[in-house]
Amino acid sequence: MMNMTELNPASENIADDHTNCEADLSVEKGSVDQQLLTKEETEKTSFTNDQKRILCVALMAYTLSFAGVTLPAPFLPVLDEKHNISSDITGWILGIYSLVQLIMFSVFGKLIPRIGARRTLLFGELVCGISLITFGLLEYLPVPDPTDKSIDVTYLVLAIVIRIIQAMGATAFLTAAMTLLMAGFPNDVVAMLSYGEAACGFGLSIEPALGSLFYKVGGFVTVLGGVGGIVLLVFVISYFLLPVNDYATKEAETTNWTIKEMLTHPNVLLSVILIFFFGMFYMMNNPTLEPELQSKFNLRQESSSLVFLANPVFYFLSAPIASKFREKLRKVDNLYCMAVTLLLGFITCMIMGPSPLFVGLQRPLWVFIIALSLQGFFTGVGTVFTLELAFIPMNRGSELTREMNSATQALVSGIWLTFTAFGNFLSPILSGMFIEKMSYGWTTTIYGVMCLVLAVIVLLIQLYRVIRNHSRKADSENKPLLN
């Protein structure tokens, strides 16, 4: 019997022509797609002049945003002691800064759409710069008589009020800088915010050394006045450099997650708890490190301020290392990495004290500096892990699996920053109370026990998830196949 090809010899040629035509079309389509992809990549990597100006101004703001948190810590306890201020009250003076940030982050977030990001940033830099200079002038207040051991109320009230105003200014320009980055770079939000965090870490790294340099020149007033002058200089640069159009006029996108859904999601809730602790862990030495360095190692303030440098430098270095580590070990669950980080933090606290629980444990200065460096490093690593836990939670630990839109990510960022500020606020107060009632060794021991408890909790949560996933997999395998 003759087949169809023999009956219609032209059909094979027609099929070949059709195949060749489809191939040519697919090649042309692939070429067009490649050109479009190349065009998109070019547009993504090339910034306009306004975007370059926004990036420059925002990075300067990020660099100076936490100057008021870390800068006075090595020098303020000595000045407070002259005015009969105890270490626990010094912790309140330092911690009030973070408390104001805790409250004002959301306030300025609501005000910026009304008054504009540019005006908010310039207002914040001006207020913060003037407040830093004014805070340095407290050195010239009259010192009480040595026989009078009562608290200098005038000094205390002025110190707290100026710190509040200074924190409001810093919160304003930091919130505005973040808004400018998100509005000016809608296609590169994550990358731009990561640059901002790097600039913040850089600022935390250089501020102790900068403070030590200024202190050698003229004491406490030069430290705060010098950095305040730098902030005012940045204000002038920002005024002329920042474009009038702040890119913040677009209609806001509504969130696709409610606050209740976010705060009850296991991963987001765990991330919030952990970043609250890491905020405490980073600030635990603020009111206590300077007295410890003077009493145990007889270090002068110029030298002790360099010791303060160890923590923020390694915090700055930890972020890229942690990111590369997670890229290489993506298959390893984040909670295992978090638990290891917390356990290493526990060991660091035991060495830093040294802990009275380990009798005979020695702590020379070089060991103390290494412990401080590891404290900053593990804080930065843990912070990166909490970010991953917060922003990539949709397929783990809950039935809620829809992705976050940009508005929801912004809301999660606000919650995350708020709890970070809360930890930064509470830690100096607790450390001041602990050192007043106990000793430095017991203070670090308490924080070490917190690390250990959280590590156990994280491991138990991971164990529960492994058992649950294993049982679900077994149930799915045991289900009969439907015909």
Side-chain angles (χ1 to χ4, degrees), residues 140-187:
Y140 294 115
L141 283 180
V143 178
D145 189 90
T147 59
D148 184 9
K149 298 300 181 181
S150 60
I151 294 176
D152 189 345
V153 179
T154 303
Y155 169 85
L156 179 61
V157 171
L158 286 174
I160 292 176
V161 170
I162 295 171
R163 289 281 288 176
I164 290 173
I165 297 173
Q166 177 190 340
M168 290 177 64
T171 306
F173 74 72
L174 177 59
T175 309
M178 184 178 295
T179 303
L180 285 169
L181 286 178
M182 290 189 292
F185 300 88
N187 298 324

Side-chain angles (χ1 to χ4, degrees), residues 88 91-92 94-99 102 276-277 279-281 283-284 287 418-434 447 450:
D88 56 339
W92 273 99
L94 293 171
I96 196 70
Y97 192 99
S98 297
L99 177 62
L102 170 67
F276 166 71
F277 171 73
M280 292 180 58
F281 190 62
M283 299 292 290
M284 60 179 280
T418 298
F419 277 86
T420 305
F422 187 33
N424 290 340
F425 158 71
L426 190 60
S427 182
I429 297 172
L430 291 178
S431 295
M433 292 172 57
F434 293 154
Y447 281 97
M450 292 181 189

Side-chain angles (χ1 to χ4, degrees), residues 254-398:
T254 57
T255 61
N256 62 343
W257 283 63
T258 65
I259 294 180
K260 181 180 178 181
E261 285 177 331
M262 282 187 289
L263 290 179
T264 54
H265 192 287
N267 280 26
V268 177
L269 180 60
L270 183 60
S271 173
V272 165
I273 294 172
L274 289 171
I275 196 54
F276 166 71
F277 171 73
F278 282 117
M280 292 180 58
F281 190 62
Y282 184 78
M283 299 292 290
M284 60 179 280
N285 277 314
N286 251 24
T288 59
L289 183 56
E290 174 64 24
E292 182 71 9
L293 291 172
Q294 285 193 3
S295 62
K296 299 296 174 60
F297 302 106
N298 287 325
L299 292 184
R300 296 185 301 173
Q301 284 188 321
E302 298 88 347
S303 302
S304 63
S305 62
L306 294 178
V307 176
F308 271 81
L309 186 63
N311 192 304
V313 164
F314 279 84
Y315 177 84
F316 168 61
L317 296 174
S318 63
I321 295 176
S323 299
K324 291 291 184 182
F325 176 80
R326 289 301 295 149
E327 289 178 4
K328 296 293 184 181
L329 297 177
R330 184 60 61 184
K331 293 183 180 180
V332 179
D333 196 281
N334 189 22
L335 293 187
Y336 288 126
C337 301
M338 184 69 72
V340 172
T341 302
L342 290 167
L343 289 173
L344 294 175
F346 164 74
I347 297 173
T348 300
C349 287
M350 296 299 106
I351 297 173
M352 187 186 301
S355 173
L357 298 177
F358 300 94
V359 181
L361 188 62
Q362 299 297 317
R363 186 203 59 181
L365 181 59
W366 65 272
V367 172
F368 191 43
I369 294 174
I370 291 176
L372 290 172
S373 304
L374 292 176
Q375 177 201 357
F377 184 83
F378 293 138
T379 303
V381 170
T383 301
V384 172
F385 292 161
T386 59
L387 281 172
E388 180 182 344
L389 198 63
F391 289 97
I392 316 178
M394 298 303 107
N395 58 348
R396 301 175 187 170
S398 174

